């Protein structure tokens, strides 16, 4: 099963179907993860480092607004092909960055997806107040150190 298929199956198990609200939350989560990645980057210029840090803060703030439902994000129909191209390109370039950094991304992907699957109890998500998918007692995040 591909990573996409595993993630789609997980969303389905959590009752997430393609609709405007779920897409918006997904965009917010994606922006949040991208912001986490940006916080790990360093630039060899103080001025550009500050630009990167400001952009990171702004993206994180937007991600929070979207995830909380205060803002709605969507992909207009006329931009879906371009959005798909960008999503695919991000996956390719992200894997390229991992390779160039000497990171075992395949192993890390497997560990992250297994940890995500472990959030389901008997195939069902733990739903927290407000509808957020939670982590069951005893859940632990994946250790990614062996893949670096």
């Amino acid at each position: 099963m591909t990573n996409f298929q595993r993630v789609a199956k997980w969303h389905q198990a959590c009752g997430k179907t393609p609709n405007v609200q779920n897409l918006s939350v997904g965009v917010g989560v994606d922006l949040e993860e991208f912001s986490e990645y940006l916080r790990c980057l360093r630039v060899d210029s103080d001025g550009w480092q500050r630009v990167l840090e400001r952009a990171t803060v702004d993206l994180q703030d937007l991600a929070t607004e979207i995830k909380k439902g205060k803002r709605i994000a969507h992909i207009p129909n006329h931009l879906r092909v371009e959005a798909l191209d960008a999503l695919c390109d991000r996956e390719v370039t992200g894997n390229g960055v991992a390779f160039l950094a000497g990171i075992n991304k395949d192993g890390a992907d497997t560990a992250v997806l297994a940890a995500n699957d472990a959030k389901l109890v008997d195939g069902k998500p733990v739903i927290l107040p407000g509808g957020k998918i939670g982590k069951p007692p005893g859940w632990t995040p994946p250790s990614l150190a062996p893949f670096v």
Side-chain angles (χ1 to χ4, degrees):
M1 190 179 307
T2 67
N3 288 353
F4 173 81
Q5 290 167 332
R6 286 187 70 180
V7 171
K9 182 178 175 183
W10 187 84
H11 277 278
Q12 290 167 342
C14 294
K16 302 291 184 183
T17 58
N19 64 44
V20 173
Q21 183 61 36
N22 289 338
L23 171 60
S24 186
V25 171
V27 168
V29 170
D30 189 46
L31 289 175
E32 176 183 54
E33 296 301 331
F34 188 67
S35 297
E36 288 179 18
Y37 168 69
L38 292 178
R39 279 198 298 275
C40 298
L41 299 179
R42 300 297 179 269
V43 181
D44 64 355
S45 158
D46 288 342
W48 284 111
Q49 186 65 40
R50 284 192 298 278
V51 169
L52 179 61
E53 289 167 3
R54 281 193 311 269
T56 302
V57 168
D58 289 345
L59 279 176
Q60 181 60 54
D61 290 347
L62 176 59
T64 299
E65 290 283 307
I66 293 169
K67 284 176 37 181
K68 289 182 176 181
K70 294 180 179 179
R71 302 284 169 256
I72 299 296
H74 71 286
I75 304 169
N77 287 336
H78 71 283
L79 295 175
R80 287 187 174 246
V81 171
E82 289 178 54
L84 178 59
D85 177 65
L87 289 168
C88 292
D89 287 349
R90 279 181 42 218
E91 189 170 339
V92 169
T93 58
N95 285 333
V97 169
F99 170 76
L100 295 169
I103 294 171
N104 175 356
K105 182 119 174 341
D106 277 336
D109 282 344
T110 299
V112 167
L113 290 169
N116 211 35
D117 289 343
K119 292 178 185 177
L120 301 177
V121 177
D122 297 325
K124 303 287 182 205
V126 174
I127 305 295
L128 300 175
K132 183 177 180 191
I133 298 167
K135 299 165 183 95
W139 182 88
T140 56
S143 173
L144 299 181
F147 308 108
V148 175

